[in-house]
Amino acid sequence: MNNYNSAVTPELQLSIEQFYYREARLLDGRQYQTWLGLVDPAISYSMPGRGNPMVNNREHGNEAMISVERELEGLDSDGLPIRDEGFLVLSLRVERSFKMNAWAETPPARTRRIVGNIEITDVTGEQFFVLSNFHLFYARPGVPDSFYAGQRRDVLVRDGDHYKILKREIVMDMANANVPTLGLFL
Amino acid sequence: MTIKIRDVVNNDATLISRRAWSDDHIYELEKKGIFAKTWLFLGHESQVRKPGDFVQAFMCETPIILSRGEDNEVHAMVNSCTHRGLPVCRSDKGNTKRFICPYHNWSYKIDGELAVIPQEKTMKCKSDKSQLGLKKVPRVESWRGLIFGCFDEYVEPLEDHLGNMKFYLGAFLDRFPNGIEFVGSPQRWVIDANWKVPMENQLGDVNHGPYLHAAVVPQEAADEINEFGYSVVPGKGHGATFRLMPEDAPVDNVAWGMETITGILGGEEVQNYLREIQASAEERVGPVRARMKGLAYGVYPNLSFLWSNAGFKVSHPRGPGKVEYWSWSIVPADAPEHLKKVLRNNHASFFGPGGILEQEDSEAWMQQYLGSKIDFADDRPYYYGLGLGLEKPHPDLPGMVDNTANEHYARAFYLRWRDALLAVEDEA
Ligand code: FES
Ligand SMILES: [Fe+2]
């Protein structure tokens, strides 16, 4: 990966940042139906499990020894991702949010997220590989407030003047799932 | 004033005090009367296949290492150094020759025996290392790959503890030509709820499905449960719920996995694989159990199982008001690798911390804990009397049987729970 990819112009960076800000506003505003419009029908949406593997002695002294990657049980691993979803399951989640009996969010959770460190790592044709970080505050009545932190690893595709999310892998920064749910739109 | 157990659960367990789920003293009695004396689930043999393999487990709040020794036997021991108590193993799983304590580097063999005290080099006197190994779990037994441990060395054999539950567990575990295996690390979900609440939910509380989950569960699923559903109390505080499909039901309506999103979206290859298993299920589990399409099970005191959204779950207490709820996805052991990657998703996305369904449950569990903690309502214990006395024996199904609205599963659980606590209540 080059430090500076010449395909990443200030205009591109700006338009992708604008995309993420808009997405964050839709999600915190509970406009999930509109948000689904930003999702490519072929989306792969996943959240790896995160374990505490043994340190490999042979990697002693190398960065690989404590890399984040080795903790992840993602789609390609033999382990267990926490989420592995396509458009249909995401649609089901959206549909659920607008039913009277989505009890975990009745009344709805209040969320506020800051998406930052938006880094376009690669551009191939109409596809954009983008890393970003998020912090999210989550509150709902009767239970303690929660804080979520993680990284998104996205592939966006150009869609006219906008983008659509073709792939999203969400790496959560938690040891145990110490939150009411990881079933949010993250 | 200390609460008396006879005031917590009445004689037929139709009324249970809110304190059962919130009182510190009761929690201490649960440790003594249940977790110190009952078979507790530790893991599955697929997690420790080779000598040196280990995974972490818990028995109540006590950290456990489950391992396969050089002798090829399964061992379970407390993950706490005999020197000053630090955990000697910090990884979820792996393969090793030694567990080395970080503090002073005492090292232990894979079966828990103390191997080396490095400080001995510089000292004349030698300690008796044979007495200084990790504390062993005195009884470890397994059935169909499910490994349990018990801190009471005089406990009844595991198979007696499981009793009739073997019939129902076997309907699933024996359904596959080579049984099942556990996938990856458990999902560990910390919920502000009492440990018994998730347990009760899987033990037999099918009846919440069409209500709490109405946003996701389609009406047809609820109708099928109404028509073919059973709730069985096999004895010993266990519970099993399932649909017993008619003899002429099409294969696709019975086969394990066909009704989940994974089965529905999995395509021909996945579906044909599931059909094949069903086609030969009768040879392995007999005609009645071949028609079984399970819902959820509970094994006293804190192991649960989900049939379609294939998972095992353990409810690890962390005090009266907190639970560490572990979920593993399971797949047929002899499924081709690429199908395992599809089938593992039966559990996640619907259950576990990211689950679209279980998020409603976890909300209910947190709220039940809050309701169990309130003041000024002790004259309104919870009512567990639905269906009292309607359960009956059944010619094909061992245990007491009724439809899924009968709360006999919970009464049976809390009667055993009450006995267990009464037995230790007066120990000073
Ligand atoms: S505490 Fe383990 S070696 Fe000292
Ligand atoms: Fe549920």
Side-chain angles (χ1 to χ4, degrees), chain B residues 201-202 205-206 208-209 212-213 217 306 351 357-362 364-365:
Chain B
N201 181 282
Q202 317 289 347
D205 189 353
V206 170
H208 77 282
L212 185 72
H213 299 297
V217 173
L306 288 167
F351 287 84
L357 268 180
E358 211 164 27
Q359 62 185 318
E360 249 79 77
D361 295 293
S362 67
W365 302 337

Side-chain angles (χ1 to χ4, degrees), chain B residues 122-421:
Chain B
T122 55
M123 282 179 305
K124 291 235 158 51
C125 67
K126 299 275 181 259
S127 315
D128 179 2
K129 289 207 271 293
S130 71
Q131 299 304 307
L132 297 174
L134 300 176
K135 150 109 188 162
K136 299 282 287 222
V137 177
R139 290 282 296 279
V140 177
E141 290 176 18
S142 73
W143 182 78
R144 297 291 196 274
L146 304 174
I147 306 167
F148 293 75
C150 184
F151 279 120
D152 177 3
E153 62 180 300
Y154 303 110
V155 70
E156 64 185 334
L158 174 65
E159 291 211 31
D160 294 357
H161 166 71
L162 295 174
N164 284 334
M165 197 63 204
K166 289 187 291 180
F167 177 89
Y168 299 100
L169 284 168
F172 187 80
L173 300 171
D174 296 343
R175 199 169 203 86
F176 308 100
N178 279 306
I180 57 147
E181 63 187 32
F182 278 38
V183 183
S185 308
Q187 297 178 349
R188 303 166 175 218
W189 192 7
V190 182
I191 307 170
D192 292 331
N194 183 270
W195 67 273
K196 297 187 290 300
V197 180
M199 180 60 202
E200 226 185 277
N201 181 282
Q202 317 289 347
L203 189 68
D205 189 353
V206 170
N207 197 35
H208 77 282
Y211 307 106
L212 185 72
H213 299 297
V216 176
V217 173
Q219 187 56 41
E220 306 82 74
D223 292 344
E224 190 179 273
I225 292 172
N226 280 335
E227 198 170 350
F228 303 118
Y230 285 101
S231 164
V232 175
V233 168
K236 307 230 171 191
H238 312 312
T241 58
F242 51 88
R243 293 145 292 179
L244 190 60
M245 302 306 285
E247 277 167 48
D248 59 354
V251 156
D252 285 15
N253 287 2
V254 189
W256 169 75
M258 291 295 280
E259 65 180 331
T260 63
I261 290 277
T262 308
I264 293 164
L265 300 180
E268 278 294 285
E269 194 188 4
V270 169
Q271 292 170 357
N272 284 337
Y273 173 74
L274 300 175
R275 289 179 186 120
E276 267 171 44
I277 293 172
Q278 183 59 29
S280 58
E282 191 171 327
E283 297 162 21
R284 292 183 294 273
V285 296
V288 173
R289 294 192 297 171
R291 289 191 282 123
M292 269 179 63
K293 188 171 160 191
L295 293 161
Y297 295 176
V299 178
Y300 183 93
N302 66 339
L303 170 67
S304 319
F305 163 72
L306 288 167
W307 179 290
S308 290
N309 294 100
F312 275 90
K313 296 152 110 52
V314 182
S315 191
H316 292 301
R318 294 291 180 266
K322 210 178 261 303
V323 59
E324 197 171 308
Y325 196 39
W326 286 23
S327 303
W328 292 269
S329 183
I330 51 172
V331 294
D334 63 356
E337 289 305 314
H338 67 288
L339 293 192
K340 283 181 186 168
K341 283 206 166 56
V342 178
L343 295 171
R344 70 182 175 187
N345 201 30
N346 270 324
H347 189 77
S349 290
F350 280 78
F351 287 84
I356 184 171
L357 268 180
E358 211 164 27
Q359 62 185 318
E360 249 79 77
D361 295 293
S362 67
E363 161 68 6
W365 302 337
M366 288 188 274
Q367 297 295 341
Q368 181 173 341
Y369 173 63
L370 294 175
S372 304
K373 221 170 54 162
I374 58 173
D375 301 313
F376 316 127
D378 282 332
D379 59 347
R380 280 292 178 279
Y382 297 154
Y383 181 66
Y384 276 81
L386 293 183
L388 181 68
L390 298 180
E391 57 275 11
K392 293 191 182 62
H394 184 285
D396 295 324
L397 304 170
M400 294 298 274
V401 181
D402 197 12
N403 69 44
T404 57
N406 190 326
E407 292 177 335
H408 63 148
Y409 67 90
R411 292 190 291 274
F413 179 91
Y414 283 105
L415 285 174
R416 180 164 183 193
W417 180 88
R418 186 176 82 148
D419 286 345
L421 269 53

Side-chain angles (χ1 to χ4, degrees), chain A residues 47 49-55 73-85 88-89 92-97 99-106 140-144 175-184, chain B residues 54 90-96 183-192 211-216 261 265 322 324 327-329 337 341-342 344-345 347-351 353-356 359-360 362-363 366-367 370:
Chain A
M47 181 186 290
R50 194 154 184 180
N52 307 299
M54 283 181 71
V55 171
E73 298 189 7
L75 294 184
D76 297 332
S77 75
D78 293 330
L80 183 61
I82 292 172
R83 292 173 66 176
D84 171 5
E85 299 170 12
L88 190 112
V89 174
L92 210 59
R93 289 186 187 272
V94 170
E95 223 177 277
R96 168 189 166 276
S97 303
K99 291 192 172 164
M100 300 300 290
N101 32 31
W103 290 110
E105 268 103 20
T106 309
R140 73 191 200 210
V143 302
N176 292 346
N178 211 339
V179 291
T181 176
L182 289 173
L184 308 177
Chain B
F54 69 89
R90 300 188 161 207
S91 316
D92 297 330
K93 59 180 178 188
N95 183 282
T96 193
V183 183
S185 308
Q187 297 178 349
R188 303 166 175 218
W189 192 7
V190 182
I191 307 170
D192 292 331
Y211 307 106
L212 185 72
H213 299 297
V216 176
I261 290 277
L265 300 180
K322 210 178 261 303
E324 197 171 308
S327 303
W328 292 269
S329 183
E337 289 305 314
K341 283 206 166 56
V342 178
R344 70 182 175 187
N345 201 30
H347 189 77
S349 290
F350 280 78
F351 287 84
I356 184 171
Q359 62 185 318
E360 249 79 77
S362 67
E363 161 68 6
M366 288 188 274
Q367 297 295 341
L370 294 175

Side-chain angles (χ1 to χ4, degrees), chain B residues 2-10 25-26 29 414 417-425:
Chain B
T2 308
I3 194 162
K4 285 288 176 206
I5 295 305
R6 63 171 184 277
D7 299 329
V8 174
V9 179
N10 72 349
H25 172 65
I26 288 180
L29 291 182
Y414 283 105
W417 180 88
R418 186 176 82 148
D419 286 345
L421 269 53
L422 281 172
V424 294
E425 182 171 39

Side-chain angles (χ1 to χ4, degrees), chain A residues 1-13 120-125 128 158:
Chain A
M1 187 179 71
N2 296 325
N3 280 346
Y4 297 101
N5 187 326
S6 60
V8 182
T9 60
E11 290 73 24
L12 179 66
Q13 175 75 25
I120 305 164
T121 58
D122 205 2
V123 180
T124 49
F128 305 89
R158 198 185 291 283

